[in-house]
Amino acid sequence: MLLRQVASASRLSRSLTASTSTASSQRFASSLVFLEHKGGKLNDSSLSAVTAAQAIDSNASGIVIGSKKDVDGVLEQAKKISGLKTIYTASHDSFDHTLAETVAPFLAKFLPSKSITHLFAAHTAVGKNVFPRTAGILDTSMIADIIAVESDGNTFTRPIYAGNAILKLKCNDEIKVVTVRTTAFDKAKLEGSASVEEVQPQTEEAATKFVSEELTVSSRPDLSSAPRVVSGGRALKSKETFDEVMDPLADALGAAVGASRAAVDAGYADNSLQVGQTGKVVAPELYVAVGISGAIQHLAGMKESKMIVAINKDPDAPIFQVADAGLVADLFTAVPELVQKLPKANA
Amino acid sequence: MRPTLPSLIHILVPVKRSIDYAVKIRVASDQKGVDTSVKHSMNPFDEIAVEEAIKLRERSKELVESITAVSIGPAKSVDTIRTALAMGADTGIHITTPENVTVEPVSVAHALKAVVEKNKYDLIIMGKQAIDDDSGSTGGMLAGMLGWSQASFASKLEVESSGAVKVTREIDGGLEKLETKLPVIVTTDLRLNEPRFATLPNIMKAKKKKIESFKPEDLGLDFKPRMETISVSEPPVRQGGQKVESVDELISRMKSAGVV
């Protein structure tokens, strides 16, 4: 509670000095964007969070938190993000692998110290893990997976019920922790020159230790940001046939490979490739659904795609209701034919 | 945190009554919510949480002392607690709220914190998200409020009698393994297990199990909302539904849309 009082007092003095130059609707907003990174590289999805932050604060800042070995390289990229005035940075070994137990308490102290009213991050596995804890420590609301924010900084739009309803809400908490659906906001450009300000890492002892990770290695584009996605479902029958059918199609289109929950549960594809309510949300230029019936939970993850193509044997499959071009055919003959006839330019 | 690690652990499993996952929801005509006069069931991720608690006890009987299911919601949430009891939980706690009142994740986290402060628990297993509000924030918030360790989106969980906890988490791009200690909050991914069905004898037995009921004020709780619903609307309708006759026609459609 004390933290919140301090925060509001310093914000009040800030607003008095700023009120002459800033639009009244925006004078309270001060946004910070959490810049996610992995392996010393900035995660593209954070660039969508920057765009959301700018909608309420043209002087938004960013923050890079991590181990010393990662932070320096990430800062070089972060400085170039257009629209961020200051990049704060704090490095400590305990921040490695972005453990919620160390990063969240740090953020919860940092936000009030800089009178930050809005913390923005991408709605990724990291955002979903770290930011609820941050909100919990601050005893404030978390507004997850937004698809729009209004300039007042209090009004947000987010999908509920697997995207089958759209909720517009007003949040009255002083500090708002917000994650952003990356497919709903353009990515900020990399042509800026922000200043860098180092912050002392305040760390807490955590019982949780990182042990190891197993990442799915792929030469294909990243599923979340790929302009084209080809997804396979249960009808692919086995892992072998999934790869035999989907890989050439993905190669021909330069596409990322996705999968339905049924295909993942059956072991045809890796869990990290699942598209849907509980997996990834994608909105590529082209989404090709192969042997996917189109359950509510799958549509939640792909129905914002610009063009949806469906290939399915069952003419009554729900996927055909959302497909811009649907072909009723056996995928084991239709997909190879499609691969063969696609323009070679895409190879 | 307790200084000594327990040899027998007490598990708390929060469960939510939500609209059944297979129901095609309809937005209410006043645009303030959705039509809730439809089939409800336990949030699917919470079923996985209940199953995991029971599995832990089945794997090592000497490890788990008790499994308590807790729900915050209107009178009908008792059904959801009974389902958890029929699956194998020992006792239930129901924090009652008036009909048609939405309790926000931050308030649910406060309520669960109050339950944890009232009784002794070492492990909380809960769903990674509710399929109605899709917020996915309650587990992490509670972990932050309690200062407990957290393991989100778990696809594998091992708890040792020493209090050591090994978790495999689903992350973007693959899996991550963590080691931590009790007390810990684990949130469940779909891949953690296959929930069992409650058998008729177990459903009958569950009717005799004890459910404690509390009003929010009994626990010093205030569910005053911090967010206002401005509107709930239908998503834009997609103009789909067009079929083609051949692969050639499919390609020409893709070409004219400029995607190949």
Side-chain angles (χ1 to χ4, degrees):
Chain A
M1 272 341 240
L2 185 65
L3 283 179
R4 302 180 72 179
Q5 279 159 13
V6 171
S8 60
S10 61
R11 203 151 48 242
L12 187 65
S13 62
R14 183 178 174 274
S15 73
L16 289 172
T17 54
S19 59
T20 48
S21 58
T22 324
S24 63
S25 66
Q26 293 185 11
R27 73 183 171 207
F28 293 105
S30 171
S31 315
L32 179 73
V33 183
F34 180 85
L35 300 170
E36 189 180 329
H37 56 88
K38 192 168 184 84
K41 268 190 69 187
L42 184 70
N43 188 331
D44 256 13
S45 56
S46 295
L47 300 175
S48 302
V50 170
T51 304
Q54 281 175 324
I56 60 160
D57 179 8
S58 52
N59 289 321
S61 47
I63 189 160
V64 175
I65 302 169
S67 63
K68 185 79 187 140
K69 69 176 161 52
D70 285 344
V71 158
D72 291 344
V74 178
L75 275 178
E76 284 310 305
Q77 302 164 62
K79 279 196 290 197
K80 297 187 190 123
I81 301 173
S82 296
L84 294 185
K85 213 173 173 194
T86 310
I87 308 288
Y88 298 105
T89 178
S91 60
H92 193 274
D93 285 347
S94 69
F95 294 148
D96 205 10
H97 299 287
T98 324
L99 287 177
E101 288 88 336
T102 57
V103 173
F106 171 78
L107 285 169
K109 287 199 184 98
F110 181 75
L111 300 182
S113 76
K114 296 283 178 193
S115 304
I116 306 282
T117 56
H118 292 71
L119 174 66
F120 283 96
H123 192 66
T124 58
V126 169
K128 288 185 244 187
N129 185 40
V130 175
F131 297 100
R133 191 177 183 100
T134 309
I137 298 170
L138 287 166
D139 188 11
T140 196
S141 291
M142 159 137 182
I143 305 146
D145 204 17
I146 64 158
I147 55 172
V149 51
E150 292 191 12
S151 59
D152 66 359
N154 299 321
T155 311
F156 302 88
T157 305
R158 55 183 301 269
I160 53 175
Y161 291 97
N164 288 297
I166 305 297
L167 168 67
K168 193 170 179 183
L169 64 93
K170 188 164 178 252
C171 178
N172 300 315
D173 276 337
E174 281 175 33
I175 299 181
K176 294 161 186 83
V177 176
V178 184
T179 60
V180 169
R181 179 171 287 205
T182 54
T183 56
F185 294 89
D186 291 336
K187 289 183 171 42
K189 294 204 164 62
L190 290 171
E191 45 193 38
S193 54
S195 61
V196 173
E197 193 180 316
E198 208 160 318
V199 182
Q200 271 310 335
Q202 294 181 314
T203 59
E204 293 191 8
E205 196 63 29
T208 305
K209 304 270 179 277
F210 171 86
V211 177
S212 64
E213 63 185 6
E214 287 166 39
L215 300 179
T216 311
V217 185
S218 171
S219 52
R220 298 214 168 86
D222 173 60
L223 179 58
S224 306
S225 56
R228 295 166 192 177
V229 173
V230 298
S231 261
R234 195 200 304 268
L236 269 305
K237 283 189 178 147
S238 74
K239 175 158 175 45
E240 289 68 37
T241 46
F242 188 100
D243 294 346
E244 265 169 44
V245 173
M246 299 305 290
D247 286 358
L249 181 61
D251 291 338
L253 289 165
V257 176
S260 71
R261 182 187 163 188
V264 168
D265 282 351
Y268 306 169
D270 192 76
N271 297 350
S272 60
L273 301 185
Q274 186 181 327
V275 172
Q277 183 183 19
T278 63
K280 298 253 174 19
V281 174
V282 301
E285 299 283 318
L286 172 67
Y287 188 89
V288 185
V290 178
I292 291 175
S293 64
I296 296 170
Q297 291 79 10
H298 185 75
L299 298 182
M302 46 65 81
K303 67 181 178 184
E304 302 303 319
S305 304
K306 295 231 166 56
M307 184 188 200
I308 297 174
V309 169
I311 299 172
N312 204 301
K313 217 156 55 171
D314 174 9
D316 299 322
I319 191 78
F320 286 124
Q321 290 163 25
V322 300
D324 301 288
L327 178 65
V328 181
D330 180 359
L331 68 92
F332 291 102
T333 52
V335 175
E337 186 185 345
L338 177 62
V339 170
Q340 200 204 337
K341 290 180 173 173
L342 275 170
K344 289 280 178 280
N346 291 298
Chain B
M1 256 187 254
R2 277 177 296 279
T4 51
L5 291 165
S7 55
L8 282 168
I9 63 171
H10 297 263
I11 305 178
L12 183 69
V13 186
V15 293
K16 183 177 187 179
R17 177 178 179 267
S18 55
I19 292 181
D20 189 84
Y21 73 95
V23 170
K24 174 94 180 79
I25 63 117
R26 278 201 312 270
V27 170
S29 50
D30 65 357
Q31 295 229 316
K32 289 291 175 194
V34 303
D35 177 9
T36 53
S37 64
V38 294
K39 186 186 174 197
H40 282 63
S41 51
M42 190 190 297
N43 177 42
F45 291 100
D46 303 348
E47 287 188 343
I48 294 170
V50 176
E51 176 67 32
E52 193 63 20
I54 299 161
K55 276 225 167 86
L56 274 179
R57 174 150 64 190
E58 286 172 348
R59 276 203 295 266
S60 47
K61 276 207 168 55
E62 65 283 5
L63 183 69
V64 178
E65 172 81 32
S66 72
I67 301 169
T68 305
V70 54
S71 195
I72 296 134
K76 281 179 181 159
S77 301
V78 168
D79 300 346
T80 308
I81 298 171
R82 290 271 173 228
T83 305
L85 297 177
M87 287 173 75
D90 306 318
T91 55
I93 296 175
H94 181 205
I95 301 172
T96 55
T97 62
E99 206 65 46
N100 298 323
V101 168
T102 306
V103 186
E104 295 167 1
V106 66
S107 300
V108 172
H110 273 293
L112 294 173
K113 180 171 178 263
V115 170
V116 170
E117 282 163 358
K118 203 171 154 47
N119 302 316
K120 173 191 182 299
Y121 298 105
D122 311 285
L123 173 62
I124 300 174
I125 310 179
M126 57 198 290
K128 75 166 180 178
Q129 78 191 67
I131 59 160
D132 47 13
D133 75 1
D134 280 336
S135 179
S137 50
T138 308
M141 277 181 171
L142 179 60
M145 287 178 185
L146 291 170
W148 286 19
S149 300
Q150 71 182 65
S152 320
F153 330 134
S155 58
K156 194 174 176 205
L157 172 66
E158 292 168 80
V159 181
E160 291 165 9
S161 53
S162 65
V165 177
K166 291 179 184 167
V167 185
T168 304
R169 303 177 55 228
E170 303 254 339
I171 58 167
D172 292 341
L175 300 170
E176 176 183 79
K177 287 185 181 164
L178 297 179
E179 264 180 38
T180 189
K181 286 183 200 133
L182 297 175
V184 59
I185 295 180
V186 176
T187 73
T188 61
D189 210 289
L190 282 172
R191 243 64 64 178
L192 188 58
N193 60 49
E194 287 271 351
R196 71 195 62 193
F197 289 105
T199 59
L200 188 59
N202 286 342
I203 292 169
M204 300 310 290
K205 269 188 230 159
K207 290 187 176 172
K208 296 196 182 104
K209 291 182 180 174
K210 196 176 146 206
I211 298 178
E212 269 189 291
S213 184
F214 296 99
K215 292 199 180 80
E217 51 271 27
D218 297 340
L219 299 168
L221 297 166
D222 169 14
F223 291 153
K224 193 166 148 273
R226 301 174 184 201
M227 299 195 223
E228 297 164 38
T229 296
I230 296 173
S231 66
V232 175
S233 56
E234 301 269 2
V237 179
R238 226 194 136 87
Q239 296 298 318
Q242 298 172 52
K243 283 185 186 150
V244 297
E245 293 300 319
S246 65
V247 168
D248 292 316
E249 205 188 325
L250 196 62
I251 291 174
S252 74
R253 284 283 184 90
M254 286 156 77
K255 275 185 182 156
S256 59
V259 292
V260 295

